[in-house]
Amino acid sequence: SNNLARPAGNVSEAPGQLITIQARLLNKDCSPIRDARIELWQRSPEGRYDYATDAELVSAPPVFTGAGTAYSRSDGAFEFITLFPGTTKKRAPYVNMRISHEDMKGVFQTRLYFAGDARNEDDRSFERLSETRKSRLSMRMHGAQKATIDIVLPKQVGRLSY
């Protein structure tokens, strides 16, 4: 599911700051890529990579799942409903994303950050990036509950760019 905040079978979200990540997947010519599989995984709001068991997913209160899957639509768009990720010392909040498609050789995997977050300045991984890459890997925040990004796959492989 693309909803990491509300496990299947629960009527409410797990505790934390709810956020919707809206994205578009584009090739190097900025044409939309449809039917791609997008996997997202991240730290919990407490900053841990701890994925819920099947029993925990149906428990009350709901537990954060930590990972989810979405598919790009004909316009390249997809979204995830999740909780704002926690951090560990000297790390910026981020989500991990893996993109695959039947016309791609292999997968495209990256880390997406939150533009404007003050913790980006202290994260060595983020600071090592060029300004261009920082811009490409940073989701723009629209208030506290929505992040957007266009993901442009950089290489041409088969019929897709990645």
Side-chain angles (χ1 to χ4, degrees):
S1 165
N2 70 330
N3 191 338
L4 286 67
R6 183 185 307 164
N10 277 292
V11 294
S12 60
E13 283 88 18
Q17 179 187 340
L18 192 65
I19 184 169
T20 300
I21 297 172
Q22 295 177 334
R24 285 189 315 153
L25 185 59
L26 308 167
N27 68 18
K28 68 181 179 117
D29 300 320
C30 292
S31 296
I33 298 173
R34 65 181 299 155
D35 300 324
R37 176 185 168 98
I38 301 98
E39 299 168 78
L40 182 138
W41 68 100
Q42 67 175 78
R43 294 179 187 272
S44 69
E46 295 80 29
R48 296 186 308 269
Y49 281 111
D50 52 351
Y51 303 108
T53 65
D54 289 342
E56 290 172 325
L57 290 175
V58 295
S59 68
V63 185
F64 180 64
T65 62
T69 304
Y71 291 87
S72 59
R73 299 184 293 271
S74 61
D75 60 355
F78 62 92
E79 73 178 26
F80 286 94
I81 301 165
T82 188
L83 301 177
F84 199 87
T87 64
T88 58
K89 53 188 167 187
K90 301 264 183 184
R91 296 304 302 260
Y94 63 86
V95 298
N96 299 290
M97 193 169 285
R98 181 182 303 129
I99 300 167
S100 59
H101 190 280
E102 64 183 18
D103 292 331
M104 289 171 62
K105 294 178 183 173
V107 297
F108 177 79
Q109 186 169 315
T110 193
R111 183 180 285 177
L112 299 176
Y113 296 88
F114 295 86
D117 193 294
R119 294 165 288 189
N120 291 347
E121 298 172 15
D122 295 327
D123 187 302
R124 288 185 185 176
S125 296
F126 186 78
E127 280 304 306
R128 287 187 202 131
L129 300 172
S130 69
E131 291 303 314
T132 300
R133 292 215 22 102
K134 285 178 185 177
S135 176
R136 288 182 185 157
L137 297 176
S138 294
M139 297 179 283
R140 290 164 296 289
M141 294 300 297
H142 305 272
Q145 293 188 318
K146 180 178 168 186
T148 61
I149 191 166
D150 285 343
I151 300 170
V152 181
L153 299 180
K155 298 178 189 174
Q156 184 71 38
V157 175
R159 295 182 307 168
L160 293 180
S161 297
Y162 91 100

